[in-house]
Amino acid sequence: EAQVTQNPRYLITVTGKKLTVTCSQNMNHEYMSWYRQDPGLGLRQIYYSMNVEVTDKGDVPEGYKVSRKEKRNFPLILESPSPNQTSLYFCASSQVLQGNEQFFGPGTRLTVL
Amino acid sequence: QKEVEQNSGPLSVPEGAIASLNCTYSDRVSQSFFWYRQYSGKSPELIMSIYSNGDKEDGRFTAQLNKASQYVSLLIRDSQPSDSATYLCAIGWEYGNKLVFGAGTILRVKS
């Protein structure tokens, strides 16, 4: 089954404790992206990657890091989480961004205390 | 700053009626347009894509695009309670590497 997976699905942590949210897709997509979703603000892009070893900032990259060492994986790293990073996070992938739809993972609900 | 605007709603329609959802965008070089449906606590699911002016129909859904007026709409015919969700408009720009999403419109279909 074609899908995007994320882990963990739910995470409660404390300020400053480094964490990683994994994202993996089995569709051989070049493009992968991370979004956060907050009430009233919609989906905002954090980082994206056009292919292996190619990453770039989205609209809200502060406090996040990413890497793309393999085509299928695109982990999101919060090195020192803060309460304002409490949000619902989605990973998405697509074959070619322009003109091709993005497929979303199930989401990760993160709470930073 | 590229922007995508949607009325947050909620838009309430009776079962069997036509629901009309609208989206406007700020940049004339937009090329790809998408409608996603998102149930509460779930991930966005693509329901329609449209790339050229006019109408595109898929079952009960019709997407309408007017690039000159910079709006895209989604019509849902014979609305069902299961259509109750948040509908997200997303725009792809020619020279960018991302989609920009509107904040979404909440649709409530009353049985």
Side-chain angles (χ1 to χ4, degrees):
Chain A
E1 179 189 356
Q3 60 182 350
V4 179
T5 58
Q6 294 179 229
N7 282 292
R9 296 288 314 281
Y10 303 90
L11 179 60
I12 301 174
T13 189
V14 295
T15 299
K17 186 177 181 181
K18 181 179 179 179
L19 66 91
T20 298
V21 183
T22 65
C23 173
S24 183
Q25 50 93 6
N26 63 1
M27 296 169 279
N28 201 37
H29 286 165
E30 294 88 4
Y31 183 91
M32 297 185 75
S33 181
W34 276 103
Y35 296 89
R36 61 178 290 173
Q37 188 174 36
D38 303 289
L41 296 178
L43 284 160
R44 294 179 293 167
Q45 190 180 52
I46 303 170
Y47 269 95
Y48 64 94
S49 170
M50 297 296 289
N51 215 323
V52 176
E53 302 292 0
V54 181
T55 63
D56 207 348
K57 297 177 180 179
D59 295 317
V60 289
E62 295 77 19
Y64 304 94
K65 287 177 59 177
V66 293
S67 68
R68 187 91 180 272
K69 292 181 170 54
E70 303 169 284
K71 195 173 187 178
R72 64 182 292 125
N73 296 323
F74 190 44
L76 178 70
I77 303 158
L78 286 72
E79 298 224 330
S80 183
S82 61
N84 65 11
Q85 293 178 298
T86 293
S87 188
L88 180 59
Y89 291 87
F90 290 103
C91 180
S93 73
S94 65
Q95 189 169 21
V96 174
L97 177 63
Q98 297 304 326
N100 282 270
E101 62 268 20
Q102 293 186 25
F103 295 89
F104 283 81
T108 295
R109 187 167 292 281
L110 172 65
T111 301
V112 183
L113 302 175
Chain B
Q1 178 74 14
K2 298 177 176 65
E3 292 184 346
V4 180
E5 299 287 338
Q6 294 183 255
N7 188 320
S8 62
L11 172 66
S12 293
V13 300
E15 184 175 357
I18 296 175
S20 178
L21 305 163
N22 299 311
C23 173
T24 58
Y25 57 96
S26 62
D27 197 307
R28 293 184 180 276
V29 297
S30 307
Q31 284 205 326
S32 51
F33 306 84
F34 305 94
W35 282 100
Y36 284 82
R37 178 177 62 201
Q38 186 177 25
Y39 294 112
S40 180
K42 302 296 185 182
S43 59
E45 171 194 13
L46 181 72
I47 53 172
M48 289 290 288
S49 58
I50 187 167
Y51 305 105
S52 56
N53 281 328
D55 294 0
K56 179 182 178 182
E57 186 175 321
D58 184 359
R60 295 186 296 112
F61 299 99
T62 299
Q64 299 174 319
L65 175 61
N66 184 323
K67 289 188 178 182
S69 300
Q70 295 175 236
Y71 82 79
V72 57
S73 62
L74 179 70
L75 301 178
I76 306 175
R77 290 182 299 282
D78 189 24
S79 295
Q80 301 298 308
S82 59
D83 294 325
S84 298
T86 298
Y87 289 80
L88 304 172
C89 173
I91 311 291
W93 268 271
E94 180 178 3
Y95 302 111
N97 289 321
K98 65 181 181 181
L99 291 180
V100 178
F101 285 81
T105 298
I106 298 170
L107 174 65
R108 294 181 181 155
V109 181
K110 300 178 180 178
S111 57

